[in-house]
């Protein structure tokens, strides 16, 4: 029952109220499951409450209740908070613990590095994706278009657009918005 309440409330209530419900759940002796932890990790991560997210992730690990979604969510939270060291080490830990690296984890890392103009790290993640044959999705391509555009790297933007078309996805609305922004930054609109 608490899982449903926490999940529903995560979309409607302020973080502190959701946290109170979670704490009440623990105090009443209810044991959270992986879904509960993942929802709360998402809540804390999106609210940029990294300390709470980190503590919750450690609790979930202690109880053996982490999965690939848990790792993706905490990697996203570290990236949003520019804690690149923790993001990278958690990514490595994820692999060491035997979890497959997901596209979501790669996308979180690309987005975080790109937004902070950490272009060498950004390109290293792209290379890692290619080495592991991790196929990009629209979100990946749109991150690339957006980040390259913000750098003013129009040739790279054009290359991503070509790759997007060649893989059969084609640009979507976000792609076109990012392209317009990129060409605007480059003074080409």
């Amino acid at each position: 029952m608490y899982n449903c309440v926490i999940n529903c409330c995560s979309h409607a209530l302020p973080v502190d109220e959701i946290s109170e419900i979670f704490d009440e759940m623990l105090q009443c002796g209810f044991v959270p499951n992986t879904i509960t932890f993942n929802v709360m990790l998402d809540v804390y991560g999106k609210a940029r409450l990294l300390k709470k997210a980190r503590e919750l992730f450690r609790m979930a690990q202690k109880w053996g209740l982490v999965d690939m979604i848990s790792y993706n969510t905490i990697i996203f939270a570290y990236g949003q908070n520019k804690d690149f060291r923790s993001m990278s080490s958690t990514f490595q830990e994820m692999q060491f613990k035997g979890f497959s690296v997901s596209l979501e984890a790669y996308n979180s890392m690309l987005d975080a590095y790109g937004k902070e103009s950490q272009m060498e790290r950004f390109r290293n993640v792209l290379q890692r994706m290619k080495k592991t044959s991790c196929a990009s999705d629209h979100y990946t391509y749109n991150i690339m278009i957006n980040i390259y555009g913000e750098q003013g790297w129009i040739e790279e933007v054009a290359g991503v657009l070509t790759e997007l078309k060649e893989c059969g996805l084609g640009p979507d609305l976000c792609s076109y918005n990012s392209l317009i922004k990129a060409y605007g930054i480059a003074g080409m609109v």
Side-chain angles (χ1 to χ4, degrees), residues 1-184:
M1 178 172 93
Y2 274 99
N3 284 337
C4 292
V5 171
I6 288 173
N7 194 22
C8 290
C9 291
S10 71
H11 303 290
L13 293 178
V15 175
D16 57 336
E17 290 182 37
I18 300 166
S19 192
E20 286 176 24
I21 294 169
F22 181 72
D23 290 342
E24 179 184 314
M25 174 185 161
L26 295 175
Q27 290 169 1
C28 289
F30 289 97
V31 178
N33 63 19
T34 304
I35 296 168
T36 314
F37 278 116
N38 290 344
V39 169
M40 291 304 299
L41 279 171
D42 189 52
V43 166
Y44 291 146
K46 287 181 178 170
R48 297 186 184 270
L49 297 171
L50 190 56
K51 183 178 178 187
K52 283 188 169 262
R54 184 180 285 127
E55 290 169 0
L56 190 68
F57 185 73
R58 287 184 183 137
M59 181 189 302
Q61 284 180 310
K62 181 180 171 183
W63 291 3
L65 295 173
V66 294
D67 62 6
M68 184 173 58
I69 295 169
S70 311
Y71 275 101
N72 290 340
T73 306
I74 195 73
I75 287 168
F76 173 79
Y78 287 139
Q80 267 200 319
N81 285 279
K82 303 173 191 163
D83 185 349
F84 299 135
R85 183 176 304 197
S86 295
M87 182 176 72
S88 181
S89 67
T90 303
F91 181 82
Q92 298 300 324
E93 176 187 312
M94 179 183 188
Q95 293 173 300
F96 179 75
K97 299 272 182 163
F99 292 98
S100 345
V101 178
S102 67
L103 180 59
E104 288 78 11
Y106 281 124
N107 284 343
S108 292
M109 293 175 70
L110 285 171
D111 194 49
Y113 288 140
K115 284 180 178 173
E116 292 302 311
S117 298
Q118 301 277 326
M119 298 312 291
E120 185 176 335
R121 290 177 172 174
F122 181 86
R123 287 184 165 164
N124 287 341
V125 172
L126 287 172
Q127 288 174 352
R128 217 177 300 158
M129 286 177 69
K130 288 181 182 178
K131 281 183 186 176
T132 60
S133 301
C134 183
S136 300
D137 63 1
H138 269 112
Y139 189 66
T140 312
Y141 286 113
N142 290 337
I143 290 170
M144 292 165 57
I145 292 169
N146 193 42
I147 298 304
Y148 288 145
E150 287 177 2
Q151 297 295 317
W153 298 355
I154 295 304
E155 287 182 26
E156 283 81 355
V157 170
V160 171
L161 185 59
T162 300
E163 188 178 331
L164 179 61
K165 290 176 182 176
E166 287 174 354
C167 77
L169 289 176
D172 63 5
L173 182 60
C174 290
S175 308
Y176 287 119
N177 286 336
S178 295
L179 286 167
I180 292 167
K181 180 180 172 187
Y183 287 118

